[in-house]
Amino acid sequence: MINILLARYLEFFHAIPVKVFNYNEYRRKEYGKVSNFFFDNSNNESMEKREKVYALVSAEVSEFMKTHANGIAILDSTNATFKRRSRLVDIIHSTGAKMMFIEVQNNDAASIDEQVQKIIRGSPDYDGEPFDAALHDFQQKLEKYKQVYETIDSGKYPIESTYNYIKCDLQRGHFIIHNVRGYLQQKIAHFVMNLRTEPHIFYLSRHGQSEYNEAGRIGGDSGLSKHGVIYARKLAEFVEKVITKEPMASPDTANNTQQAASDSKRTDSATDAGHAASLQERPARLWTSTMRRTKETAQFIHKSVMSIPDKFNPELIHEWMQMRPRAWHHLDELFAGSCDGMTYEEIEEQFPEEFARRNEDKLAYRYPRGESYLDVIARLEPMIIEMERHREPLLIIGHQGILRIIYAFYMGLSRAESPYVSIPLNTVIECKPGAFVCEVKSHVLYKIPLDDDGQNEPKASHGHSAHAHPICSHLAGTPIPPPITIPAAICEKDIASHSSESAISPHRTGSSGGSGRYRTNSLPPRTEEEVNNPHSH
Ligand code: F6P
């Protein structure tokens, strides 16, 4: 799990070529499925085979490092002994690359049990095997590793104190960061330190339709339209019924703390959980941008105080403000600078060159005095760390450009694909990142009659659409991907028709408009009454 998330994080937010080398995959290619006897260090025959696989994978890691000067190879293997590690260090250092170890420790029986179950269910080594036999075999394998395991830098081999390493026990939140230097190594340490082991669920929603959406204008800081207010109410209901609810703890866990119960059930969507009577309140979080339209969308969400027993000491009670809104500047919409507040038609008409430039390279194109998607990716990196850090279900009420990036990161899409993801209005996208995939479900809460939507971006006048368009300049040869909609199998069919995807906009230097980076909110959110009667005050 750490490997995959770390690789995605480094590729997506730091544009680094990353490759994960999984020892077991190489081993399976050479010898197929093997039983625990293969991992017995006293078995000479299998030791020879293991060494052979090890040489193979190390050679490929070295080759990757030689051919990718700025790359990062992640070697996913046990490296449980000093002998293994020291040989690896020699091989990698001979390529001129730096080496860093991440040793993951876990002494929590329940969590180990959960991990083992996941491995047995997911590993090709146990494909088609009866569960109990697979469990027995895996436990034997673990025992064999325990017999030879030497923690890194135990004091026995002084050379190891010169290695760069992180030792982490995510369950206890305990970390040793040793000799970790430089920007990237520290970024990696920071990322790993904020990971959790429990799966977490989050919900993405654009703000309800804004007055600018209705008028076909981009950006701005308008309030909600009437349709937007209706959506805000429906979203509050959804929060009440789904986001803040989870299945009741079963009788055998009834004596445990509420926190422990909610941890164990957190992966289950309350939507699937049967009737309301069997649900209980769970602590949940709410984030918005600092812009009026997201705050107004959050206005009907019920806030209340909950008492939560401490995970380790149930006598200690924490106060939790349910769905306390937290407004982040990082989540403000991509700032269109001098084009802020214009319609796409106006931009194309007044600034055709800019319009064309954006169509050619939507990812890197920066609005004059505004931002590009690359800028937005950079400012969303801390948000991803924050999202990883939390365990409670999280609702983010954001903007199209912002949610595209968050969605793309979790879905494993590339940076180049991210500006084309379709994030429709009036829809909550439920995401459950797992070890290998992120499960996604769309909840369409409201349907605006199409004429009223105001979200249909104009087709570029030169007739190009995102489908047919040339290339991103920094990805020469890679066609611009078609717009990405939430996977059809789990997406209600008509969602895409409400989304606004096409080759988009831009503008030109020197026109009127904002300065600086993304904007801050200057006005407080309006109440529903103010939205419906804009002149009442
Ligand atoms: O149209 C709604 C909106 O959120 C605008 O405020 C923003 O400029 C735009 O979407 C971002 O989409 P794109 O990058 O495709 O223009």
Side-chain angles (χ1 to χ4, degrees), residues 45 48 139 233 237 252 299 305 312 394 417 426 530:
E45 195 191 328
E48 245 175 58
Q139 279 165 345
R233 287 198 174 282
E237 276 168 30
D252 54 332
Q299 69 185 301
V305 179
F312 300 106
L394 165 69
E417 288 169 304
N426 304 315
E530 285 168 327

Side-chain angles (χ1 to χ4, degrees), residues 206 213 218-219 333 344 358 362 373 400 404 455 504:
R206 285 177 68 184
N213 289 150
I218 65 167
E333 180 57 305
Y344 289 113
R358 191 169 198 244
K362 193 175 178 186
Y373 271 98
Q400 170 156 256
R404 278 175 172 156
Q455 272 297 288
I504 311 298

Side-chain angles (χ1 to χ4, degrees), residues 207-498:
H207 52 80
Q209 188 194 51
S210 68
E211 288 165 334
Y212 265 37
N213 289 150
E214 204 173 25
R217 301 195 171 276
I218 65 167
D221 195 16
S222 64
L224 296 184
S225 72
K226 281 187 184 165
H227 290 302
V229 175
I230 296 173
Y231 177 71
R233 287 198 174 282
K234 295 203 178 273
L235 182 62
E237 276 168 30
F238 183 81
V239 168
E240 197 61 25
K241 288 192 185 136
V242 178
I243 299 181
T244 57
K245 295 293 179 296
E246 68 181 345
M248 283 288 233
S250 58
D252 54 332
T253 54
N255 294 333
N256 295 346
T257 63
Q258 179 183 356
Q259 185 66 49
S262 65
D263 285 348
S264 67
K265 298 283 182 185
R266 189 139 295 154
T267 52
D268 295 330
S269 163
T271 356
D272 308 325
H275 60 89
S278 59
L279 299 178
Q280 66 183 3
E281 187 85 357
R282 63 176 171 182
R285 293 177 186 268
L286 168 63
W287 292 356
T288 67
S289 75
T290 66
M291 307 187 106
R292 285 174 68 197
R293 52 196 187 276
T294 60
K295 289 181 172 181
E296 287 180 17
T297 306
Q299 69 185 301
F300 304 116
I301 294 173
H302 183 65
K303 296 150 202 81
S304 57
V305 179
M306 288 176 75
S307 299
I308 303 189
D310 186 82
K311 190 172 176 184
F312 300 106
N313 175 9
E315 281 169 24
L316 185 64
I317 304 294
H318 300 284
E319 200 173 79
W320 175 269
M321 177 59 87
Q322 182 69 311
M323 298 306 276
R324 179 173 56 193
R326 169 104 201 245
W328 295 90
H329 287 292
H330 298 72
L331 295 175
D332 288 354
E333 180 57 305
L334 181 150
F335 181 42
S338 310
C339 289
D340 192 50
M342 297 173 84
T343 65
Y344 289 113
E345 287 92 341
E346 285 168 354
I347 297 169
E348 185 179 16
E349 206 180 288
Q350 293 174 38
F351 309 119
E353 284 168 19
E354 293 290 337
F355 191 89
R357 281 182 50 219
R358 191 169 198 244
N359 275 351
E360 268 159 32
D361 191 352
K362 193 175 178 186
L363 176 69
Y365 175 83
R366 178 180 282 146
Y367 282 108
R369 300 185 191 169
E371 289 183 297
S372 67
Y373 271 98
L374 287 178
D375 295 329
V376 168
I377 288 175
R379 74 167 148 98
L380 283 177
E381 186 218 333
M383 290 291 87
I384 296 296
I385 306 267
E386 278 299 291
M387 285 174 75
E388 282 304 313
R389 191 169 77 78
H390 295 310
R391 292 171 305 169
E392 297 79 15
L394 165 69
L395 168 63
I396 302 181
I397 303 179
H399 305 264
Q400 170 156 256
I402 300 302
L403 299 182
R404 278 175 172 156
I405 303 300
I406 296 174
Y407 180 85
F409 170 71
Y410 278 102
M411 293 305 287
L413 302 174
S414 67
R415 292 152 73 99
E417 288 169 304
S418 58
Y420 302 95
V421 175
S422 171
I423 307 285
L425 281 174
N426 304 315
T427 304
V428 177
I429 303 168
E430 178 181 321
C431 301
K432 222 189 284 175
F436 303 106
V437 288
C438 180
E439 285 173 39
V440 181
K441 208 183 220 172
S442 282
H443 305 268
V444 182
L445 304 188
Y446 179 52
K447 288 180 186 167
I448 298 180
L450 261 189
D451 288 351
D452 260 345
D453 189 313
Q455 272 297 288
N456 295 319
E457 292 163 18
K459 292 272 174 291
S461 58
H462 44 67
H464 285 152
S465 72
H467 297 264
H469 220 267
I471 49 162
C472 301
S473 56
H474 55 289
L475 283 175
T478 311
I480 281 188
I484 293 156
T485 49
I486 313 304
I490 37 183
C491 166
E492 294 187 26
K493 263 204 162 140
D494 53 348
I495 299 175
S497 66
H498 284 268

